[in-house]
Amino acid sequence: LPSLAGFVVGHAGLYQALAMFAVAYFIIGMTVLSVCAIATNGALDAGGAYYMISRALGPEFGGSIGIMFFLANVCGSALYVLGLVEAVVDSFGIPPGQEVGTGVHVLPQSYWYELLYGTVLLALCLLVCLVGASIYAKATFLIFLIVAAVLGTIIVSFFATQPLKVPIRLPHSNGTETDDGFFTGFSLDTLRGNLGGEYRVDYTTGQMMSFSSVFAVMFNGCTGIMAGSNMSGDLKRPSYSIPRGTISAVLFTYLVYNLLAFLMCATCNRILLQKDYGFLRDISIFPPLVTVGIYAATLSAAMSNLIGASRILYALARDDLFGRALALAKKTSASGNPVMAVILSWLVVQVVLFSGKLNTIASVVTTFFLLVYATVNLACLALEWASAPNFRPTFRYFTWHTCLLGIAGCCVMMFVISPVSASVSLGFLLLLLLALHYLSPSSTWGYISQALIFHQVRKYLLMLDVRKDHVKFWRPQMLLMVQNPRGSARLIDFVNDLKKSGLYVLGHVELQDLDMLPSDPLQPQQDSWLSLVDKLNVKAFVSLTLAPSVRHGVRQLLFTSGLGGMRPNTLVLGFYDDEAPQDGLARHPAFTSAREEVPLAFPPLRAPTAPKLLSAREYVGIVADALKMLRNVLLARQLESLDKAWELRRAASPPPTIHVWPVNLLRPDSARYAATCSLFLLQMACVLNMARAWRRARLRLFLCLEAGAMPHAQEEKLRQLLKDLRIQAQIQLVPWDAITRLHWQTCQGPPGGPAEEEEEDEGVVNFPANTTQVSDEYICAANKLVLEQSPAPAVRFLYLPRPPADTSLYPLYLHQLELLTRGLGPTVLVHGVSAVTSTQL
């Protein structure tokens, strides 16, 4: 403490020194508040700041900051060992220019000799740390008593020592240089001369000092605030001891630094302060005690950093974030002391000692510590902002403002001290984050990101007002009903392309009665469904329900799926036919890797001869229910035969096509293209074309014409509609007189007769009774018309008519849909009930 204060005051002057202490302790104070909050929020284990950060921010942040904190402690230990070597050589070294020492000055001075002295001192620290935390605690307490006695002696010396001249011998290129420093006692002139800054060359490194370099060295003397938290695994009551010990240490050292700075400025001239960092021995009433105190304090700091680094390394190894790379550091002695972590830390400190000079590594160490402190504040800030009920620390003297100020102070001072070191440190942190994100195993510690996302999503969902919805910003929000994912993998992927950044929910109905079951059978299935979503790489939610029938289950999901303004507006169903289901997951690339297995929680597919879970009448009833609830409906047939990868990778000429038939083929007497349902069908085809995977595809819109219908006028009208809607599509005219003739032959009245009185009204529930007026012959002809349009498309969009009002006609309605889409390949039948297109800005 005293030597460091003399270095700071000698170069910076009293005013700047006090400012440095204030800034440093402001940053430290904010960080201490965060440390105390986290330390009192639950049981702490080994690792100190690493343990706090990893359990709050997750393994990526925890592991990367843990490595940097380990390196900071390693470099800090080397820094204090070099400082102790400097003090020993200053007291017992042979003066420069002399070959033989005299008296106590017997130690040779050179780079290799100083490295030897540092190695011996570091070995002493290693021996203490290998014995264990108990002997370390006793040693540090003894050192504390010595330092307290020395500090008292120094303060008394400022008052008791008479003014004196202190000769100073400095190494020089031509031998030695002699200068005189003066201890003047309390003098107003001396105080005035030391008020301002006067940065000069540091005689130990030969480097020109500046505010940032002096602050870097000074800040290293304040990094002991984490010494207590680093020993969290060895303390009996860390949640009690860490806050009290840390706050007491910070307040005590801050007061001592300021007191010493004032006493030095008022009694010592600038030359003495700048050119003799050991001047306190010369002015002390008992010089040997000062020497012992300096050695003891520096040795204690070196041991503190070494044992702190070993505990961090042990915690990293135990959490298996780096796999086998740190496996050796897990080994402990019979008493639980991580001896291998201590030895590995000692080896790294030994390597750092080769840097040679104290101030050479000071800026790097300071940057690392500041980065760790900033992350501790970030962890506390994230916990506070997440507002999780379980974050209730018993230490309450902090707010998110103190955390934010601590983060800002650390980041600013990092770049003030050394922009290069700060940039390199942040780059190193980013690399560690990325490496751990992709390589480290998942943890069970909990992720603060999930809590923060929940907090923000809840807030924004409350702001999402359904009363402010506008057609300009409409987007599809899909509910896809899936009976068994094994037979629906490609359909799930296809609907993912259709959602256009909207809500996507995979719904499933389990036919069971909860009254007859001991527990909810859906909970064990949830993880399998979520894993399916991850492996298929679709952005979907999962919603499972129990119901006595599939129809009741779909109703439940339509009513309850989603939240606030995010609710499904479109129901997607697979088609009801007699085709045998195929296991799409077994052929899907995500499940064909040797390391991956098809999720076993999904049952085998239904055998072709096994009965279905719902009848044809119930299936059509689901469609009718959705339309009554003003949901759009999509029926997807043969989507499992769609090989999207092959369709979109085939030769660029011709590109794959999407065929769109926006006319109700089962109602040739109402061939309207601008109706709500037709526009919705056109919108869905356009949305698919906008998906990244389908951008190469081309839309082909088919305009069905009868003789004498002025084709050019109708084509121009449709082209203008597409232009207004900003949809790029090729229009193809299709004459269908031969098809409609089949229809009118089976109808009782001519065109314009009773059939036209049953115009489809999108807003009413009375469904048209046109089903009985359409013959199978006509439907087969319409199917052939669609099938003959070449080249064959990747997918077709067809108009889905409303189910009939008479429920007894449901099987006939489904039969007609089956005939219409038979053999067409991947086909989507679409019925829309809401306006989704806009020509406005």
Side-chain angles (χ1 to χ4, degrees):
L1 280 177
S3 299
L4 185 60
F7 168 78
V8 174
V9 170
H11 288 282
L14 181 62
Y15 291 153
Q16 292 187 39
L18 294 179
M20 286 183 186
F21 294 141
V23 170
Y25 275 88
F26 174 79
I27 295 171
I28 290 169
M30 298 300 101
T31 305
V32 164
L33 296 181
S34 299
V35 169
C36 294
I38 299 175
T40 59
N41 188 53
L44 278 179
D45 206 340
Y50 158 72
Y51 188 86
M52 299 178 191
I53 294 169
S54 61
R55 269 51 179 182
L57 298 183
E60 294 92 349
F61 252 108
S64 53
I65 287 296
I67 287 293
M68 299 195 75
F69 197 30
F70 166 74
L71 294 176
N73 276 277
V74 161
C75 293
S77 181
L79 190 73
Y80 287 118
V81 169
L82 289 173
L84 182 54
V85 168
E86 196 173 283
V88 170
V89 169
D90 190 48
S91 300
F92 302 104
I94 298 174
Q98 297 184 16
E99 295 184 2
V100 180
T102 58
V104 296
H105 300 282
V106 294
L107 296 178
Q109 295 190 51
S110 70
Y111 169 80
W112 292 107
Y113 274 114
E114 290 177 7
L115 178 62
L116 175 63
Y117 306 150
T119 301
V120 173
L121 293 171
L122 183 59
L124 177 61
C125 296
L126 172 66
L127 290 176
V128 174
C129 294
L130 282 176
V131 173
S134 58
I135 190 67
Y136 166 77
K138 293 174 183 176
T140 51
F141 181 72
L142 177 62
I143 290 172
F144 168 74
L145 295 178
I146 295 173
V147 172
V150 171
L151 190 58
T153 302
I154 289 173
I155 293 175
V156 170
S157 298
F158 281 111
F159 294 92
T161 303
Q162 297 298 317
L164 56 89
K165 181 174 72 171
V166 180
I168 303 171
R169 296 170 62 87
L170 298 174
H172 195 267
S173 58
N174 297 324
T176 59
E177 178 184 340
T178 305
D179 206 343
D180 293 325
F182 292 91
F183 174 77
T184 63
F186 286 95
S187 168
L188 189 59
D189 290 338
T190 304
L191 179 62
R192 286 173 179 165
N194 289 327
L195 290 178
E198 190 177 319
Y199 296 100
R200 293 187 179 177
V201 174
D202 175 23
Y203 72 88
T204 63
T205 62
Q207 296 177 355
M208 184 65 187
M209 291 290 100
S210 64
F211 179 92
S212 59
S213 58
V214 171
F215 181 85
V217 176
M218 184 274 300
F219 193 83
N220 277 288
C222 310
T223 54
I225 63 166
M226 290 294 183
S229 62
N230 287 343
M231 299 295 295
S232 56
D234 300 295
L235 298 173
K236 290 183 180 179
R237 299 170 60 193
S239 297
Y240 175 87
S241 304
I242 288 176
R244 286 162 177 77
T246 306
I247 292 175
S248 302
V250 169
L251 291 175
F252 178 74
T253 54
Y254 179 65
L255 293 175
V256 169
Y257 270 133
N258 282 275
L259 177 61
L260 289 175
F262 174 77
L263 293 176
M264 290 174 180
C265 283
T267 59
C268 303
N269 74 342
R270 182 82 67 173
I271 293 175
L272 182 62
L273 293 173
Q274 286 186 341
K275 296 186 177 182
D276 185 6
Y277 300 150
F279 70 93
L280 290 174
R281 287 190 300 270
D282 300 316
I283 67 171
S284 174
I285 56 175
F286 188 55
L289 187 59
V290 175
T291 302
V292 172
I294 292 173
Y295 294 170
T298 313
L299 191 65
S300 170
M303 281 193 298
S304 172
N305 280 271
L306 179 60
I307 201 167
S310 67
R311 293 321 190 254
I312 296 166
L313 186 64
Y314 171 65
L316 283 166
R318 197 173 58 176
D319 286 339
D320 278 327
L321 295 184
F322 294 89
R324 297 181 180 178
L326 298 180
L328 190 62
K330 294 182 186 179
K331 300 190 180 211
T332 62
S333 64
S335 60
N337 185 33
V339 289
M340 289 309 302
V342 173
I343 293 173
L344 290 174
S345 302
W346 165 75
L347 286 173
V348 179
V349 175
Q350 183 65 57
V351 172
V352 177
L353 285 180
F354 283 92
S355 64
K357 290 296 181 180
L358 183 147
N359 292 351
T360 305
I361 58 175
S363 61
V364 177
V365 177
T366 304
T367 301
F368 277 17
F369 273 115
L370 282 169
L371 200 54
V372 172
Y373 294 167
T375 312
V376 170
N377 284 300
L378 178 63
C380 190
L381 177 68
L383 289 169
E384 178 70 6
W385 274 356
S387 301
N390 283 324
F391 182 63
R392 43 179 185 270
T394 55
F395 182 87
R396 296 301 304 165
Y397 302 102
F398 78 101
T399 67
W400 65 268
H401 304 85
T402 60
C403 302
L404 207 57
L405 287 172
I407 294 171
C410 290
C411 293
V412 169
M413 291 314 302
M414 276 172 55
F415 285 93
V416 168
I417 291 170
S418 175
V420 175
S421 297
S423 301
V424 171
S425 300
L426 289 173
F428 183 51
L429 174 63
L430 182 60
L431 286 175
L432 287 172
L433 278 171
L434 292 174
L436 285 171
H437 178 73
Y438 289 106
L439 300 178
S440 69
S442 59
S443 72
T444 58
W445 307 333
Y447 292 82
I448 190 64
S449 58
Q450 295 299 303
L452 289 171
I453 290 170
F454 177 90
H455 182 72
Q456 292 301 108
V457 167
R458 181 193 64 85
K459 181 169 71 174
Y460 286 120
L461 271 177
L462 291 172
M463 296 169 61
L464 189 60
D465 192 344
V466 293
R467 295 168 295 183
K468 297 179 182 178
D469 281 349
H470 194 280
V471 67
K472 289 190 299 184
F473 307 113
W474 179 90
R475 67 181 71 237
Q477 305 200 73
M478 304 292 199
L479 171 61
L480 170 62
M481 297 305 304
V482 180
Q483 178 185 340
N484 190 331
R486 292 181 184 273
S488 308
R490 288 181 175 174
L491 177 57
I492 293 172
D493 182 64
F494 178 78
V495 178
N496 186 62
D497 291 335
L498 267 181
K499 72 182 187 307
K500 187 54 181 172
S501 303
L503 178 68
Y504 184 17
V505 180
L506 298 181
H508 173 71
V509 179
E510 192 78 15
L511 298 182
Q512 296 191 56
D513 186 356
L514 191 59
D515 290 337
M516 308 300 294
L517 299 171
S519 62
D520 181 7
L522 299 179
Q523 291 300 324
Q525 299 181 27
Q526 191 78 19
D527 286 345
S528 295
W529 283 86
L530 294 177
S531 297
L532 174 78
V533 168
D534 292 339
K535 292 185 182 300
L536 293 181
N537 195 26
V538 296
K539 298 177 181 178
F541 298 95
V542 174
S543 186
L544 312 179
T545 188
L546 284 177
S549 69
V550 175
R551 187 174 182 181
H552 281 86
V554 175
R555 283 179 184 171
Q556 290 177 21
L557 293 176
L558 284 173
F559 277 125
T560 61
S561 292
L563 198 63
M566 294 187 68
R567 292 186 179 277
N569 56 28
T570 303
L571 174 66
V572 186
L573 301 171
F575 197 77
Y576 190 94
D577 55 25
D578 295 325
E579 292 186 13
Q582 302 294 324
D583 194 339
L585 287 189
R587 304 189 306 270
H588 196 280
F591 298 94
T592 53
S593 170
R595 295 178 298 174
E596 304 288 352
E597 295 182 358
V598 177
L600 300 177
F602 300 128
L605 288 171
R606 175 183 59 85
T609 57
K612 297 182 180 180
L613 294 179
L614 75 166
S615 65
R617 188 185 300 270
E618 188 180 7
Y619 176 82
V620 180
I622 293 173
V623 177
D625 291 343
L627 295 177
K628 287 180 183 178
M629 298 165 67
L630 298 181
R631 303 298 203 277
N632 311 298
V633 176
L634 274 61
L635 304 183
R637 185 171 192 185
Q638 294 186 351
L639 261 297
E640 287 305 303
S641 66
L642 173 63
D643 189 346
K644 185 177 73 171
W646 181 83
E647 288 285 353
L648 302 178
R649 281 202 306 263
R650 65 183 183 179
S653 181
T657 57
I658 301 171
H659 285 190
V660 183
W661 295 79
V663 64
N664 186 353
L665 294 174
L666 299 186
R667 288 287 304 273
D669 54 332
S670 61
R672 296 180 297 173
Y673 286 87
T676 299
C677 185
S678 298
L679 291 177
F680 180 82
L681 187 152
L682 188 59
Q683 177 83 327
M684 295 311 298
C686 180
V687 166
L688 180 65
N689 193 206
M690 294 170 69
R692 178 174 298 179
W694 291 86
R695 285 178 185 168
R696 282 190 57 248
R698 297 291 180 263
L699 290 181
R700 293 182 67 191
L701 185 61
F702 293 90
L703 179 59
C704 298
L705 297 173
E706 296 184 52
M710 296 186 294
H712 294 294
Q714 290 198 30
E715 181 182 1
E716 188 59 32
K717 183 178 178 181
L718 182 57
R719 196 176 301 280
Q720 185 60 42
L721 175 64
L722 293 176
K723 182 179 179 182
D724 292 340
L725 297 176
R726 290 90 59 206
I727 296 176
Q728 294 183 357
Q730 174 191 354
I731 299 176
Q732 183 166 335
L733 304 182
V734 179
W736 69 333
D737 295 86
I739 311 299
T740 56
R741 191 177 301 115
L742 292 173
H743 173 68
W744 300 125
Q745 287 173 358
T746 58
C747 290
Q748 296 179 357
E756 290 189 349
E757 295 177 2
E758 298 172 349
E759 285 294 327
E760 188 174 340
D761 188 346
E762 303 292 345
V764 300
V765 184
N766 296 319
F767 303 116
N770 188 60
T771 305
T772 57
Q773 301 180 9
V774 180
S775 66
D776 288 357
E777 184 184 8
Y778 162 76
I779 298 174
C780 290
N783 169 266
K784 184 178 180 182
L785 176 70
V786 174
L787 190 59
E788 287 176 345
Q789 307 306 316
S790 60
V795 64
R796 291 180 172 91
F797 283 83
L798 269 60
Y799 188 112
L800 173 67
R802 280 176 173 265
D806 185 355
T807 58
S808 65
L809 297 177
Y810 280 180
L812 177 59
Y813 169 81
L814 188 58
H815 170 69
Q816 292 176 350
L817 294 182
E818 196 279 329
L819 284 180
L820 180 64
T821 57
R822 181 179 294 175
L824 294 184
T827 303
V828 182
L829 292 162
V830 181
H831 192 99
V833 296
S834 56
V836 296
T837 56
S838 173
T839 59
Q840 302 175 358
L841 285 176

